Amino acid sequence: MEPMSLPGLERLLDVCERLNLGLKISPPAREPLRAGSLLEGHPLDPLLASVYARLGQVVFAYKLMGLSLMQSNDDEHRLEANNKLWRENHWDELGMPVIVFAGEVYTYATVPSLADEWGRQPVVEVNTYELDGLHVLPVASNVDRFFDNYSRYLEAVVASPRYQEAGENDLHFPWHMGELLARDERLVELLRAGRFEPLMKNVDEQERQWAAKVMGARE
Amino acid sequence: MVGHTVQVLLPFTEGIGPRTVRLVLRVEHRLGAAEARGRVESVRVERLASALTPEQGWYHSMHEAILLRWREGVYEGSAWLAQKGVEEAALWFAVGIAGKGLGFFATKGLEWLPRALSREPETAAGWLRNALKRLPQQEQASFEQLWSKVALEGEQALSRGEREALRSLFVRLEQLVQQPLDGDLKRELRREARKYYAKLYPQFAEALHIRNSELPIHHRRQLEHAHLFPDEDINAGANLAMVQKYVHDKISSLWGKFRKARPILVPPRR
């Protein structure tokens, strides 16, 4: 399968460079993971395979404590090791498999069972810190859209008054980017159809209201 | 000569109270020359006669050191403060509040704030920086603006309305630190905890960036219980530990069991 094009990833790389937010990149494996190859028994998202064909590991916007893609190349197999841990520790509670691939404070994962006709899986955020269980929020309809969203988040951070005055970031992804996520039609479609409901068992009232706003529901 | 003297003295007028500034000028006039030449050899602020606490002394020294570095221009106090960044600003505020004495706010019956702010400067600043995050952005900005005015121009510079507004903000802070943290704040504090940990332990900074969520920063006293200890800085270095994710998951799971077994109580009134 030809690698899929990644305009969202390109945009994110460009934003990090243009706004001087920092980028750390490691080269890909000589034989990178292919689309459809199995990670803990589930197919790797084709967009993610395209990413790993290009890059072995990235830290985006490290000057802001940014987003990092889990390493998978000839030096380290953290992507594979982390997914093994997640299968052992979290899949039961989640009720379905997820494939983790990136993280900020919380972790980002694709959901194999919600893939579209091209095999592209939506992305969710999983918060493993809370004492009442895993908190999951939907974030993007596919991996490349996720990168595109994140690039726009970074632009919003840099344009914010707080950052302009004092170099401080008081915006969070995806928490403060609800309106941006609401423009992702397929994401909204999946949300409205209740496809994320089984994953969102532990969301609190504040998170539920946030999701409602993304869906465009009345409060 | 007068004009030049004024230029030199201008930076010292940044509202830190009446000051005696000792200026040593060297002036030369050669016979037959149309003009005299002169320069400022040195400038020094005379120390106040009254005794200062170590914190007040530190605060004044820092203030003067910053002003001395800025001989070329005079900054508006709030613009200067904004440029210092949140951390230094918090340090500046915390010591300033302690320096001015909390008698200013005592009549409102504040309990947790005086306790938190009476600690040594770095600890008090950490507490204040994180406590201020509890306020909505606009109220944070109001607090900074009002407190900057007190610190730079003196308490007497506040109008009655401003004084009341500042008191209300302190009361509001006192209430907020006793409320459980919401998801938004927990996210913010977790991010701040990572930044702070990377600063405390620079040898781990790279790993923390590269591995991010794989290497959580664990709060020994959980964020869920922070409101039970309102005068303590939940993000203090002593409360943070970097752990492998599987360790963090096990600890969280134990806390989860504790939580189910015991309801969370509000702190008893002392």
Side-chain angles (χ1 to χ4, degrees), chain B residues 7 10-12 14 66-67 69-76:
Chain B
Q7 283 301 311
L10 261 178
F12 295 91
E14 271 288 302
I66 289 160
L67 293 173
R69 276 200 278 279
W70 287 353
R71 268 176 239 229
E72 297 311 310
V74 174
Y75 275 70
E76 279 295 323

Side-chain angles (χ1 to χ4, degrees), chain A residues 85-111:
Chain A
L85 268 176
W86 273 69
R87 179 176 59 75
E88 288 165 0
N89 296 343
H90 297 312
W91 283 12
D92 278 346
E93 188 188 336
L94 285 169
M96 63 177 74
V98 298
I99 301 296
V100 298
F101 69 96
E104 239 201 5
V105 177
Y106 302 146
T107 308
Y108 297 103
T110 65
V111 187

Side-chain angles (χ1 to χ4, degrees), chain B residues 241-261:
Chain B
M242 184 177 76
V243 293
Q244 295 280 357
K245 188 181 168 305
Y246 71 91
V247 173
H248 191 259
D249 291 344
K250 286 202 170 11
I251 298 171
S252 293
S253 151
L254 285 171
W255 273 114
K257 287 182 180 151
F258 172 81
R259 185 181 181 277
K260 279 194 185 123

Side-chain angles (χ1 to χ4, degrees), chain A residues 31-215:
Chain A
E31 302 254 359
L33 296 163
R34 293 176 193 286
S37 55
L38 296 181
L39 260 181
E40 296 303 311
H42 290 271
L44 181 66
D45 181 280
L47 287 169
L48 211 46
S50 299
V51 173
Y52 281 106
R54 269 190 68 171
L55 312 153
Q57 202 262 326
V58 193
V59 184
F60 301 99
Y62 65 77
K63 293 182 188 177
L64 291 178
M65 289 298 289
L67 174 71
S68 61
L69 183 78
M70 292 175 185
Q71 190 162 356
S72 177
N73 57 14
D74 298 328
D75 296 327
E76 288 245 39
H77 292 279
R78 299 226 55 82
L79 175 75
E80 293 86 336
N82 290 335
N83 277 293
K84 182 170 187 295
L85 268 176
W86 273 69
R87 179 176 59 75
E88 288 165 0
N89 296 343
H90 297 312
W91 283 12
D92 278 346
E93 188 188 336
L94 285 169
M96 63 177 74
V98 298
I99 301 296
V100 298
F101 69 96
E104 239 201 5
V105 177
Y106 302 146
T107 308
Y108 297 103
T110 65
V111 187
S113 60
L114 298 180
D116 66 12
E117 63 214 270
W118 294 286
R120 297 177 307 186
Q121 302 171 22
V123 177
V124 294
E125 177 191 79
V126 188
N127 169 2
T128 59
Y129 282 74
E130 303 306 331
L131 303 187
D132 62 349
L134 301 175
H135 284 231
V136 177
L137 293 179
V139 163
S141 52
N142 65 63
V143 167
D144 198 57
R145 190 65 183 251
F146 166 70
F147 290 130
D148 186 283
N149 286 347
Y150 202 83
S151 74
R152 293 175 200 277
Y153 159 68
L154 292 177
E155 287 176 321
V157 169
V158 169
S160 70
R162 193 72 175 169
Y163 190 87
Q164 292 286 315
E165 280 170 13
E168 300 283 335
N169 175 17
D170 58 4
L171 294 177
H172 288 275
F173 181 88
W175 192 251
H176 293 119
M177 306 306 292
E179 278 178 27
L180 175 68
L181 267 54
R183 299 205 286 263
D184 184 342
E185 284 174 13
R186 166 129 175 99
L187 182 73
V188 171
E189 202 181 285
L190 286 168
L191 255 172
R192 286 185 181 158
R195 303 298 301 279
F196 292 109
E197 231 11 70
L199 287 167
M200 291 171 68
K201 294 190 284 285
N202 296 321
V203 294
D204 57 33
E205 192 47 42
Q206 212 186 18
E207 287 165 333
R208 203 152 277 294
Q209 285 175 13
W210 178 88
K213 274 202 193 134
V214 171
M215 271 191 273

Side-chain angles (χ1 to χ4, degrees), chain B residues 36-57:
Chain B
R37 289 147 51 103
R39 69 167 197 272
V40 175
E41 278 220 330
S42 66
V43 177
R44 189 166 58 92
V45 176
E46 295 275 317
R47 292 285 153 224
L48 293 177
S50 56
L52 296 173
T53 65
E55 288 78 16
Q56 286 168 330

